[in-house]
Amino acid sequence: MSAYSKMLVAIDLTEEAPQVLNKAKAVCESHGAELLLIHVVEPVGYAYGGDIPMDLTELQDQLDKAAHDQLAGYGDQYDIPKANQVVTVGRPESEIHRLAKEHEVDLIIVGSHGRKGFQLLLGSTANGVLHGTECDVLAVRIN
């Protein structure tokens, strides 16, 4: 029996997403595991510090719809069923932890951008996911 039966890959819907998805799909197939594809949309209020006195609901809805559409495209391309595609709103690290626990995931796969210091090894989201998770984490180095 494989060490991993259910994996979660979290992508940021940038042009680097296929690098992470290709690695996730290969690891998943080598273990005969189920793959959960997720994207976390950060609340618009976070981007503006919550200081703008206006209703950002419509903008948030547009971002959410665009994320669903993009994730569905990746799901089709990588043969990931709709039931295993999740778009959620919140802080990426917290939502990834929550979904991993909720879906009893064995391995979380995230992309990692180069940064300075310790974050040179892991991007800020990857670093946040690593600290606080109850399962293994694979950080895919993004070129």
Side-chain angles (χ1 to χ4, degrees), residues 28-50:
C28 189
E29 288 173 355
S30 72
H31 286 271
E34 181 181 357
L35 187 60
L36 183 67
L37 173 62
I38 74 155
H39 173 69
V40 181
V41 178
E42 291 192 64
V44 176
Y46 284 3
Y48 296 103

mmCIF file of all heavy atoms in Angstrom, residues 28-50:
data_model
loop_
_atom_site.group_PDB
_atom_site.id
_atom_site.type_symbol
_atom_site.label_atom_id
_atom_site.label_comp_id
_atom_site.label_asym_id
_atom_site.label_seq_id
_atom_site.Cartn_x
_atom_site.Cartn_y
_atom_site.Cartn_z
ATOM 1 N N CYS A 28 1.004 11.864 -7.923
ATOM 2 C CA CYS A 28 -0.294 11.242 -7.670
ATOM 3 C C CYS A 28 -0.419 9.913 -8.412
ATOM 4 O O CYS A 28 -0.813 8.895 -7.832
ATOM 5 C CB CYS A 28 -1.392 12.206 -8.101
ATOM 6 S SG CYS A 28 -3.028 11.693 -7.628
ATOM 7 N N GLU A 29 -0.071 9.913 -9.676
ATOM 8 C CA GLU A 29 -0.160 8.694 -10.480
ATOM 9 C C GLU A 29 0.802 7.618 -9.989
ATOM 10 O O GLU A 29 0.460 6.436 -9.968
ATOM 11 C CB GLU A 29 0.078 9.007 -11.954
ATOM 12 C CG GLU A 29 -1.092 9.758 -12.572
ATOM 13 C CD GLU A 29 -0.845 10.237 -13.995
ATOM 14 O OE1 GLU A 29 0.289 10.069 -14.515
ATOM 15 O OE2 GLU A 29 -1.782 10.792 -14.585
ATOM 16 N N SER A 30 1.998 8.029 -9.558
ATOM 17 C CA SER A 30 2.969 7.039 -9.083
ATOM 18 C C SER A 30 2.517 6.361 -7.789
ATOM 19 O O SER A 30 2.934 5.250 -7.492
ATOM 20 C CB SER A 30 4.353 7.671 -8.899
ATOM 21 O OG SER A 30 4.367 8.517 -7.780
ATOM 22 N N HIS A 31 1.651 7.025 -7.042
ATOM 23 C CA HIS A 31 1.132 6.464 -5.786
ATOM 24 C C HIS A 31 -0.277 5.905 -5.943
ATOM 25 O O HIS A 31 -0.837 5.385 -4.985
ATOM 26 C CB HIS A 31 1.142 7.527 -4.683
ATOM 27 C CG HIS A 31 2.504 7.818 -4.160
ATOM 28 N ND1 HIS A 31 3.066 7.133 -3.113
ATOM 29 C CD2 HIS A 31 3.436 8.720 -4.552
ATOM 30 C CE1 HIS A 31 4.273 7.601 -2.876
ATOM 31 N NE2 HIS A 31 4.524 8.564 -3.751
ATOM 32 N N GLY A 32 -0.869 6.081 -7.118
ATOM 33 C CA GLY A 32 -2.248 5.636 -7.322
ATOM 34 C C GLY A 32 -3.207 6.372 -6.399
ATOM 35 O O GLY A 32 -4.184 5.815 -5.917
ATOM 36 N N ALA A 33 -2.909 7.652 -6.158
ATOM 37 C CA ALA A 33 -3.674 8.452 -5.198
ATOM 38 C C ALA A 33 -4.743 9.292 -5.888
ATOM 39 O O ALA A 33 -4.678 9.560 -7.084
ATOM 40 C CB ALA A 33 -2.734 9.358 -4.409
ATOM 41 N N GLU A 34 -5.698 9.728 -5.097
ATOM 42 C CA GLU A 34 -6.726 10.665 -5.534
ATOM 43 C C GLU A 34 -6.161 12.068 -5.392
ATOM 44 O O GLU A 34 -5.434 12.359 -4.443
ATOM 45 C CB GLU A 34 -7.958 10.495 -4.644
ATOM 46 C CG GLU A 34 -9.111 11.387 -4.995
ATOM 47 C CD GLU A 34 -10.304 11.192 -4.078
ATOM 48 O OE1 GLU A 34 -10.268 10.312 -3.191
ATOM 49 O OE2 GLU A 34 -11.275 11.939 -4.238
ATOM 50 N N LEU A 35 -6.480 12.959 -6.331
ATOM 51 C CA LEU A 35 -5.947 14.316 -6.306
ATOM 52 C C LEU A 35 -7.072 15.331 -6.151
ATOM 53 O O LEU A 35 -8.049 15.317 -6.887
ATOM 54 C CB LEU A 35 -5.163 14.609 -7.586
ATOM 55 C CG LEU A 35 -4.409 15.932 -7.646
ATOM 56 C CD1 LEU A 35 -3.361 16.035 -6.527
ATOM 57 C CD2 LEU A 35 -3.733 16.095 -8.998
ATOM 58 N N LEU A 36 -6.905 16.216 -5.175
ATOM 59 C CA LEU A 36 -7.826 17.316 -4.915
ATOM 60 C C LEU A 36 -7.132 18.595 -5.381
ATOM 61 O O LEU A 36 -6.019 18.892 -4.946
ATOM 62 C CB LEU A 36 -8.143 17.383 -3.420
ATOM 63 C CG LEU A 36 -9.139 18.412 -2.940
ATOM 64 C CD1 LEU A 36 -10.531 18.095 -3.472
ATOM 65 C CD2 LEU A 36 -9.166 18.440 -1.414
ATOM 66 N N LEU A 37 -7.767 19.339 -6.276
ATOM 67 C CA LEU A 37 -7.216 20.569 -6.841
ATOM 68 C C LEU A 37 -7.905 21.759 -6.194
ATOM 69 O O LEU A 37 -9.120 21.875 -6.259
ATOM 70 C CB LEU A 37 -7.453 20.578 -8.360
ATOM 71 C CG LEU A 37 -7.094 21.842 -9.131
ATOM 72 C CD1 LEU A 37 -5.607 22.143 -9.032
ATOM 73 C CD2 LEU A 37 -7.521 21.689 -10.598
ATOM 74 N N ILE A 38 -7.111 22.639 -5.565
ATOM 75 C CA ILE A 38 -7.727 23.787 -4.898
ATOM 76 C C ILE A 38 -7.050 25.103 -5.254
ATOM 77 O O ILE A 38 -5.876 25.146 -5.631
ATOM 78 C CB ILE A 38 -7.774 23.633 -3.359
ATOM 79 C CG1 ILE A 38 -6.399 23.822 -2.748
ATOM 80 C CG2 ILE A 38 -8.355 22.315 -2.942
ATOM 81 C CD1 ILE A 38 -6.455 24.264 -1.317
ATOM 82 N N HIS A 39 -7.843 26.148 -5.117
ATOM 83 C CA HIS A 39 -7.340 27.513 -5.219
ATOM 84 C C HIS A 39 -8.040 28.334 -4.144
ATOM 85 O O HIS A 39 -9.248 28.207 -3.947
ATOM 86 C CB HIS A 39 -7.628 28.127 -6.591
ATOM 87 C CG HIS A 39 -7.263 29.573 -6.655
ATOM 88 N ND1 HIS A 39 -5.952 30.010 -6.628
ATOM 89 C CD2 HIS A 39 -8.027 30.685 -6.701
ATOM 90 C CE1 HIS A 39 -5.938 31.335 -6.670
ATOM 91 N NE2 HIS A 39 -7.191 31.770 -6.710
ATOM 92 N N VAL A 40 -7.267 29.175 -3.472
ATOM 93 C CA VAL A 40 -7.828 30.037 -2.431
ATOM 94 C C VAL A 40 -7.817 31.476 -2.941
ATOM 95 O O VAL A 40 -6.766 32.013 -3.295
ATOM 96 C CB VAL A 40 -7.022 29.932 -1.115
ATOM 97 C CG1 VAL A 40 -7.655 30.833 -0.051
ATOM 98 C CG2 VAL A 40 -6.944 28.487 -0.638
ATOM 99 N N VAL A 41 -8.998 32.072 -2.997
ATOM 100 C CA VAL A 41 -9.143 33.476 -3.375
ATOM 101 C C VAL A 41 -9.067 34.289 -2.089
ATOM 102 O O VAL A 41 -9.838 34.056 -1.162
ATOM 103 C CB VAL A 41 -10.505 33.729 -4.068
ATOM 104 C CG1 VAL A 41 -10.665 35.204 -4.403
ATOM 105 C CG2 VAL A 41 -10.661 32.862 -5.303
ATOM 106 N N GLU A 42 -8.119 35.209 -2.044
ATOM 107 C CA GLU A 42 -8.024 36.050 -0.858
ATOM 108 C C GLU A 42 -9.127 37.098 -0.885
ATOM 109 O O GLU A 42 -9.448 37.640 -1.944
ATOM 110 C CB GLU A 42 -6.652 36.723 -0.780
ATOM 111 C CG GLU A 42 -5.541 35.726 -0.495
ATOM 112 C CD GLU A 42 -4.251 36.394 -0.135
ATOM 113 O OE1 GLU A 42 -4.201 37.076 0.913
ATOM 114 O OE2 GLU A 42 -3.285 36.224 -0.892
ATOM 115 N N PRO A 43 -9.723 37.370 0.270
ATOM 116 C CA PRO A 43 -10.777 38.397 0.313
ATOM 117 C C PRO A 43 -10.249 39.744 -0.186
ATOM 118 O O PRO A 43 -9.129 40.127 0.138
ATOM 119 C CB PRO A 43 -11.131 38.476 1.799
ATOM 120 C CG PRO A 43 -10.703 37.165 2.362
ATOM 121 C CD PRO A 43 -9.495 36.757 1.564
ATOM 122 N N VAL A 44 -11.050 40.422 -0.990
ATOM 123 C CA VAL A 44 -10.648 41.700 -1.559
ATOM 124 C C VAL A 44 -10.258 42.691 -0.470
ATOM 125 O O VAL A 44 -9.326 43.461 -0.623
ATOM 126 C CB VAL A 44 -11.775 42.279 -2.450
ATOM 127 C CG1 VAL A 44 -11.413 43.659 -2.961
ATOM 128 C CG2 VAL A 44 -12.046 41.346 -3.604
ATOM 129 N N GLY A 45 -10.926 42.646 0.656
ATOM 130 C CA GLY A 45 -10.621 43.541 1.772
ATOM 131 C C GLY A 45 -9.181 43.424 2.235
ATOM 132 O O GLY A 45 -8.581 44.398 2.679
ATOM 133 N N TYR A 46 -8.580 42.218 2.114
ATOM 134 C CA TYR A 46 -7.175 42.028 2.498
ATOM 135 C C TYR A 46 -6.266 42.858 1.606
ATOM 136 O O TYR A 46 -5.327 43.488 2.061
ATOM 137 C CB TYR A 46 -6.754 40.562 2.363
ATOM 138 C CG TYR A 46 -7.251 39.644 3.454
ATOM 139 C CD1 TYR A 46 -8.088 40.080 4.471
ATOM 140 C CD2 TYR A 46 -6.879 38.317 3.457
ATOM 141 C CE1 TYR A 46 -8.536 39.230 5.453
ATOM 142 C CE2 TYR A 46 -7.320 37.441 4.436
ATOM 143 C CZ TYR A 46 -8.145 37.903 5.427
ATOM 144 O OH TYR A 46 -8.578 37.046 6.398
ATOM 145 N N ALA A 47 -6.576 42.865 0.304
ATOM 146 C CA ALA A 47 -5.736 43.578 -0.650
ATOM 147 C C ALA A 47 -5.758 45.080 -0.401
ATOM 148 O O ALA A 47 -4.786 45.776 -0.651
ATOM 149 C CB ALA A 47 -6.185 43.279 -2.079
ATOM 150 N N TYR A 48 -6.880 45.581 0.093
ATOM 151 C CA TYR A 48 -7.009 47.014 0.321
ATOM 152 C C TYR A 48 -6.941 47.376 1.798
ATOM 153 O O TYR A 48 -7.250 48.501 2.172
ATOM 154 C CB TYR A 48 -8.320 47.529 -0.295
ATOM 155 C CG TYR A 48 -8.332 47.389 -1.792
ATOM 156 C CD1 TYR A 48 -9.045 46.365 -2.405
ATOM 157 C CD2 TYR A 48 -7.604 48.251 -2.587
ATOM 158 C CE1 TYR A 48 -9.042 46.222 -3.785
ATOM 159 C CE2 TYR A 48 -7.583 48.118 -3.965
ATOM 160 C CZ TYR A 48 -8.312 47.102 -4.552
ATOM 161 O OH TYR A 48 -8.294 46.965 -5.906
ATOM 162 N N GLY A 49 -6.591 46.430 2.609
ATOM 163 C CA GLY A 49 -6.448 46.696 4.032
ATOM 164 C C GLY A 49 -7.760 46.946 4.748
ATOM 165 O O GLY A 49 -7.790 47.324 5.902
ATOM 166 N N GLY A 50 -8.864 46.743 4.073
ATOM 167 C CA GLY A 50 -10.169 46.945 4.693
ATOM 168 C C GLY A 50 -10.484 48.397 4.989
ATOM 169 O O GLY A 50 -11.434 48.704 5.689
#
